[in-house]
Amino acid sequence: MLAFSPKWIQPIISGRKNLTFRKWPTPRVKVGGVYDAATIGFPRKTFAKVRVTGLRKIKLGDIDNALAKRDGAASAEEVRSYWTKQGFDLKKELWLVEFEVQGKP
């Protein structure tokens, strides 16, 4: 499962958001795998099935505007600001997970 804030439901379903950054110590998904996309919190609401199309590590400082927009942000600076508020520096590696919607649950 990939969990998202409820504000991302429509951008994901419409295809405007097709990647996410995760702070996992090890990957929790595999390329080609199909997973539930669900809201965080309780109760979780599954809103789509997504297939992972790409998975790689990326340094926070290497995130550019194109990746940020695919993540649903306005700019790379917005993404960096979010993660630095979480205590990350620009050298910290995150998992970049690319996905495409496969349909509703």
Side-chain angles (χ1 to χ4, degrees), residues 73-86:
S75 67
E77 185 54 40
E78 183 181 330
V79 174
R80 288 187 204 115
S81 176
Y82 171 82
W83 287 103
T84 54
K85 287 177 185 173
Q86 308 295 318

Side-chain angles (χ1 to χ4, degrees), residues 42-100:
F42 184 80
R44 291 188 189 269
K45 175 188 171 192
T46 300
F47 60 88
K49 293 280 189 186
V50 296
R51 184 172 65 85
V52 173
T53 58
L55 178 68
R56 65 182 167 100
K57 282 188 168 185
I58 188 169
K59 289 182 182 173
L60 180 57
D62 292 339
I63 296 170
D64 61 18
N65 285 333
L67 291 173
K69 288 180 191 236
R70 292 179 56 204
D71 182 41
S75 67
E77 185 54 40
E78 183 181 330
V79 174
R80 288 187 204 115
S81 176
Y82 171 82
W83 287 103
T84 54
K85 287 177 185 173
Q86 308 295 318
F88 288 64
D89 65 39
L90 296 180
K91 295 178 185 174
K92 175 71 176 174
E93 287 187 326
L94 298 167
W95 287 100
L96 185 158
V97 182
E98 297 175 283
F99 58 86
E100 61 186 17

Side-chain angles (χ1 to χ4, degrees), residues 9-25:
I9 293 173
Q10 286 308 317
I12 289 170
I13 290 172
S14 71
R16 289 190 323 269
K17 177 176 172 66
N18 58 17
L19 72 77
T20 188
F21 299 104
R22 299 299 161 125
K23 61 180 180 180
W24 302 325

